[in-house]
Amino acid sequence: MPGAIYAEGLVKTFGDVKALDGVDLDVPEGTVLGLLGPNGAGKTTTVRVLTTLLKPDRGRAVVAGLDVLKKPNEVRQAIGLSGQFAAVDEYLTGRENLRMVGRLYQMSARDAKARASELLERFHLADAADRPTKTYSGGMRRRLDLAAALVVSPPVMFMDEPTTGLDPRNRQALWEVIQELVAGGTTLLLTTQYLEEADHLAHDIAVVDHGRVIARGTSDQLKARTGGERVEVVVHDREHLPLAEQLLGTFGRGAATVDLHTRKVTIGVSGGARLLAEVIRELDGRGIEIDDIGLRRPTLDDVFISLTGHVAEEREQEAVA
């Protein structure tokens, strides 16, 4: 059986631009899939197809057990969506916005009012609840939009770069809300350019570039594709670089790299902190004085560079996605 979110061979073209070029996804129920990629990669187009806002040219998609092309209305009733831009009525207050969403989902007036109050507290908007949203800051509007997406606690959620524009405090608060939702059984597809966010929240990560999923796996699995851990040593005296390079070569995989300017020697290794202790003992035994030493684990930034040739934060012109 496919997961709560399933896509097979999604293709979407806008003129000469192929926004999606055969996207496949399968997200098990109660998990978070991080859809990671730069602007223009196809993340938002994927979300729009899965939430019935766009029809694919080819391919199949099933959300919450419902075919998005055959049963779009039923799909909309089973999902929540927070897009890239806050979709709030600026002439209504924050409380009125949330109560309106609840009523649109056919909640009773009493339940919609209670749910609005609960979400305003959760997203730190209670003090501004009765002000028109046109007086809200950008970050406050973003939080209100996220609250609106959670009014009915849907079984499947889509969040398209939800923390863009949020300060660290509110970003952390949103992470906590997401973790609570998933713990309660919600399935979430999360698009983001914040590598730390995907690392922190996602059970599984799909890396998207030029409309295709180019890699899939857990954070640790993707990081392992970059060559694993590296030992970095900064020697005190430049003349010790050749000896340090030779010594590290006995511990690592492949050839060490040497930066003459920074007096740094780097080599890929396996063995973690225990190996680092051995390297320190050997350096000391050879009389090689060091200014710094560290064990560096690859980040998702490293994954992007190795897979796509550019960093995740690179802002490309996003014509359609």
Side-chain angles (χ1 to χ4, degrees), residues 5-124:
I5 302 172
Y6 177 79
E8 181 180 359
L10 292 181
V11 174
K12 184 64 182 178
T13 302
F14 298 92
D16 296 331
V17 178
K18 185 167 282 189
L20 300 181
D21 191 17
V23 169
D24 298 325
L25 297 172
D26 193 356
V27 188
E29 185 176 343
T31 66
V32 180
L33 175 69
L35 203 59
L36 218 56
N39 282 341
K43 304 188 306 297
T44 296
T45 302
T46 299
V47 169
R48 288 175 179 168
V49 169
L50 293 172
T51 56
T52 77
L53 298 177
L54 278 177
K55 289 186 177 181
D57 299 328
R58 293 199 304 275
R60 175 172 174 257
V62 177
V63 174
L66 301 164
D67 189 295
V68 300
L69 291 177
K70 296 178 181 178
K71 298 184 177 180
N73 290 333
E74 289 91 335
V75 169
R76 291 169 194 148
Q77 292 174 9
I79 65 173
L81 169 64
S82 176
Q84 285 189 4
F85 305 101
V88 297
D89 188 322
E90 64 178 14
Y91 293 102
L92 298 180
T93 67
R95 190 184 308 278
E96 288 168 342
N97 266 281
L98 297 184
R99 290 173 64 179
M100 177 184 68
V101 172
R103 297 294 284 153
L104 288 172
Y105 275 100
Q106 300 183 341
M107 295 174 68
S108 69
R110 180 177 180 179
D111 288 345
K113 180 180 178 181
R115 182 61 172 162
S117 296
E118 176 187 345
L119 290 168
L120 289 164
E121 288 286 348
R122 177 182 284 188
F123 283 91
H124 307 290

Side-chain angles (χ1 to χ4, degrees), residues 162-295:
T163 60
T164 298
L166 296 185
D167 59 33
R169 173 174 172 266
N170 286 306
R171 184 174 298 154
Q172 182 65 44
L174 176 60
W175 287 0
E176 292 172 0
V177 170
I178 289 173
Q179 288 170 327
E180 290 173 10
L181 285 171
V182 177
T186 299
T187 305
L188 172 63
L189 189 148
L190 170 79
T191 80
T192 183
Q193 291 190 31
Y194 294 115
L195 302 172
E196 179 189 6
E197 188 161 86
D199 212 356
H200 187 78
L201 295 173
H203 297 93
D204 211 12
I205 296 170
V207 181
V208 181
D209 200 37
H210 295 99
R212 300 184 65 87
V213 176
I214 60 173
R216 176 78 185 260
T218 65
S219 175
D220 287 341
Q221 288 169 342
L222 292 177
K223 290 175 183 178
R225 295 181 60 166
T226 67
E229 301 167 326
R230 296 190 289 277
V231 167
E232 297 180 346
V233 176
V234 178
V235 302
H236 183 71
D237 297 313
R238 189 169 279 107
E239 57 266 26
H240 283 154
L241 280 171
L243 185 56
E245 179 185 4
Q246 181 184 11
L247 186 150
L248 287 179
T250 65
F251 287 96
R253 303 188 305 271
T257 60
V258 178
D259 188 324
L260 294 174
H261 178 69
T262 60
R263 307 185 309 281
K264 181 187 292 185
V265 183
T266 305
I267 193 165
V269 299
S270 58
R274 181 179 300 177
L275 176 67
L276 189 61
E278 294 178 18
V279 172
I280 292 171
R281 283 195 297 268
E282 287 294 324
L283 289 167
D284 185 60
R286 300 283 187 93
I288 302 174
E289 185 179 355
I290 62 174
D291 291 340
D292 192 22
I293 186 169
L295 183 69

